[in-house]
């Protein structure tokens, strides 16, 4: 049986070959563990205090407006679909203007086709069993089939025939199947670490839904809430997935330093660029329902939370690289370790920054398409608030990622080089000194 990943604090350091072949590097000395704990324990305590002080106790109540996302919804299903003449149900298609050059208008193939009239039965709520009809034109992107599950909105103040309307299809089954496939893949490949990663993911969503979102809705400073909640997510995810070790603690310190830099730069450039954060209908609706929310702080909170996951990946990778380099060359000093790990980090920076930029570009693809056909210069487009917000979000997060590599690498190199002596030094040769080494040697002699 292989030894556990985290030996007890008083266990001696394993030999180089033993640690390299059976698991992570040997733990650092008790002195350095105390130094790291002296930094992390106050930080973790501050995060716990922040969670207690800012804990919202649920989202605040509000008077439903009955508009958009604020409408109550119910489940329903299509019980009948029949073809009808569009004119008979007052769903005639409006004539479209001829395109330049005399070409026929787009969507002409749908003209002349019959409309669909679907009978929908509400299956949940106080009006379960009520039916209503909805008309689908031939050029609609969504067509219905008998037995299909849908989501309907309910407007209690509307006339009875207009109280329900289909707003979306029910995607519960495919979403759960996809989630199950994802969890299965993670567990099969990651084994115990995969299980712990899934548990950490659930805990992270718990912090997000039970603390961060309700606290912001309660009117707390979004930036402060994001820092406290993001720090809690970071501590849970890193220690649960990678163990309560000095190596993980160094990654936590590197992530914390980078988050602070992202928060500082985000605050400075958001104010300097005069960004309001109110650039879409969803933000406006949230602000209308909860006027106490500070929208600019909400933008900063989004930048911090959006960068957190990639930061964890970078800092853990760099810390692991330093530990493995030390295992490969126990005589290496911190300068040599730092230089070798930074060569790895530079490749990591190039891929991660591109990943972050492409992630934001993919999310804003419809917006980029609109601006690509606009009769405006690149400078004008980039200076508009809706684009400038994404630029600031991307560049601030990327700067934090770039900074996390040298910061984390330096911390890891200093810790491991200061604590891991060369073999034979002062009787602390790796794995051969101390009571544990003597017991191991005695056991080998007995076996012989």
């Amino acid at each position: 049986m292989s030894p556990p990943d985290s030996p007890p604090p008083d266990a001696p350091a394993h030999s180089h070959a033993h640690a390299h072949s059976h698991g992570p590097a040997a733990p650092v000395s008790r002195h350095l563990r105390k130094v790291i704990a002296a930094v992390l324990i106050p930080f973790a305590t501050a995060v716990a205090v922040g969670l207690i002080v800012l804990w919202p106790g649920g989202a605040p109540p509000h008077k439903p407006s009955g508009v958009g996302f604020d409408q109550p919804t119910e489940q329903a299903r299509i019980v009948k679909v029949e073809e009808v003449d569009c004119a008979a149900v007052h769903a005639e298609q409006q004539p479209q203007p001829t395109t330049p050059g005399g070409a026929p208008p787009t969507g002409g193939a749908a003209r002349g086709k019959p409309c669909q009239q679907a009978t929908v039965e509400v299956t949940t709520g106080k009006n379960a069993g009520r039916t209503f009809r909805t008309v689908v034109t031939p050029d609609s992107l969504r067509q219905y089939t008998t037995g299909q599950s849908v989501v309907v909105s309910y407007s209690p103040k509307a006339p009875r025939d207009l109280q329900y309307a289909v707003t979306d299809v029910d995607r519960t089954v495919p979403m759960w199947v996809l989630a199950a496939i994802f969890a299965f893949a993670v567990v099969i490949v990651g084994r115990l670490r995969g299980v712990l990663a899934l548990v950490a993911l659930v805990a992270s969503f718990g912090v997000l839904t039970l603390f961060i979102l309700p606290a912001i809705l309660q009117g707390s400073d979004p930036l402060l809430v994001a820092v406290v909640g993001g720090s809690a997510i970071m501590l849970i995810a890193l220690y649960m997935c990678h163990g309560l070790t000095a190596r993980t603690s160094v990654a936590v310190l590197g992530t914390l330093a980078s988050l602070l830099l992202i928060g500082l730069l985000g605050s400075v450039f958001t104010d300097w660029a005069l960004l309001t954060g109110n650039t879409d209908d969803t933000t406006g609706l949230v602000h209308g329902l909860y006027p106490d929310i500070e929208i600019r702080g909400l933008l900063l909170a989004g930048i911090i939370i959006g960068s957190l996951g990639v930061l964890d990946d970078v800092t853990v990778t760099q810390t692991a690289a330093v530990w493995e380099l030390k295992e490969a060359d126990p005589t290496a000093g911190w300068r040599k370790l730092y230089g070798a790990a930074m060569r790895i980090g530079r490749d990591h920076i190039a891929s991660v920054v591109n990943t972050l930029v492409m992630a934001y570009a993919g999310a804003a693809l419809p917006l980029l398409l609109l601006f690509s056909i606009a009769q405006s210069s690149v400078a004008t487009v980039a200076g508009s608030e809706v684009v400038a917000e994404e630029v600031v979000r991307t560049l601030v997060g990327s700067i934090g990622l770039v900074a996390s590599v040298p910061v984390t690498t330096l911390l890891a190199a200093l810790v491991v080089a200061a604590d891991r002596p060369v073999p034979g030094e002062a009787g602390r040769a790796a794995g051969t000194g101390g009571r544990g080494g003597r017991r191991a040697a005695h056991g080998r002699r007995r076996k012989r």
Side-chain angles (χ1 to χ4, degrees), residues 42-353:
F43 167 63
T45 302
V47 171
V49 171
L51 288 172
I52 295 173
V53 172
L54 297 174
W55 192 262
H62 72 279
K63 185 177 181 180
S65 64
V67 177
F69 285 102
D70 200 35
Q71 281 184 312
T73 58
E74 301 291 350
Q75 298 296 312
R77 64 185 179 91
I78 308 295
V79 295
K80 183 180 180 182
V81 177
E82 56 184 343
E83 291 185 352
V84 296
D85 181 41
C86 294
V89 292
H90 309 289
E92 300 95 339
Q93 292 179 280
Q94 297 298 320
Q96 299 178 359
T98 303
T99 57
T106 58
R111 295 185 60 81
K113 292 184 177 181
C115 291
Q116 281 186 341
Q117 183 171 260
T119 302
V120 186
E121 180 184 5
V122 181
T123 57
T124 61
K126 63 180 181 179
N127 293 322
R130 182 193 294 188
T131 60
F132 67 96
R133 293 178 177 177
T134 185
V135 175
V136 183
T137 57
D139 58 349
S140 175
L141 295 178
R142 181 180 298 144
Q143 303 292 321
Y144 300 121
T145 58
T146 303
Q148 183 178 12
S149 297
V150 294
V151 179
V152 297
S153 62
Y154 176 57
S155 302
K157 296 181 180 180
R160 179 179 174 83
D161 293 342
L162 303 176
Q163 287 182 335
Y164 285 98
V166 178
T167 58
D168 209 341
V169 297
D170 185 3
R171 301 182 179 89
T172 303
V173 173
M175 298 302 287
W176 276 109
V177 170
L178 181 59
I181 295 173
F182 164 73
F184 178 77
V186 170
V187 172
I188 288 296
V189 177
R191 299 186 181 180
L192 178 59
R193 289 294 176 91
V195 174
L196 293 176
L198 291 176
V199 175
L201 180 62
V202 172
S204 298
F205 271 104
V207 174
L208 180 66
T209 57
L210 299 179
F211 172 72
I212 294 178
L213 299 181
I216 292 175
L217 292 177
Q218 290 281 9
S220 299
D221 182 8
L223 179 58
L224 179 60
V225 170
V227 169
V228 173
S231 299
I233 291 174
M234 174 186 65
L235 292 172
I236 293 171
L238 288 181
Y239 281 118
M240 183 171 291
C241 294
H242 304 286
L244 193 63
T245 64
R247 187 163 72 179
T248 307
S249 299
V250 172
V252 168
L253 291 176
T255 306
L256 174 62
S258 302
L259 280 179
L260 293 177
L261 177 62
I262 289 174
L264 177 62
L265 289 177
S267 179
V268 170
F269 283 94
T270 297
D271 291 339
W272 194 2
L274 302 177
L275 299 179
T276 64
N278 191 10
T279 55
D280 55 41
D281 295 338
T282 302
T283 306
L285 176 60
V286 171
H287 189 53
L289 297 175
Y290 298 94
D292 294 334
I293 293 179
E294 211 282 298
I295 298 299
R296 186 176 296 177
L298 194 62
L299 171 61
L300 289 173
I303 293 175
I304 291 175
I305 295 174
S307 303
L308 183 59
V310 187
L311 271 178
D312 289 350
D313 172 55
V314 172
T315 56
V316 169
T317 300
Q318 286 305 114
T319 306
V322 172
W323 247 260
E324 292 301 322
L325 288 169
K326 184 64 175 179
E327 288 296 311
D329 184 6
T331 64
W334 74 268
R335 293 179 185 273
K336 184 176 180 180
L337 291 173
Y338 178 78
M342 278 303 297
R343 287 193 290 273
I344 300 173
R346 291 186 186 100
D347 290 336
H348 205 183
I349 286 174
S351 61
V352 167
V353 168

Side-chain angles (χ1 to χ4, degrees), residues 16-23 327:
H16 162 60
H18 183 81
H20 186 68
S21 60
H22 287 280
E327 288 296 311

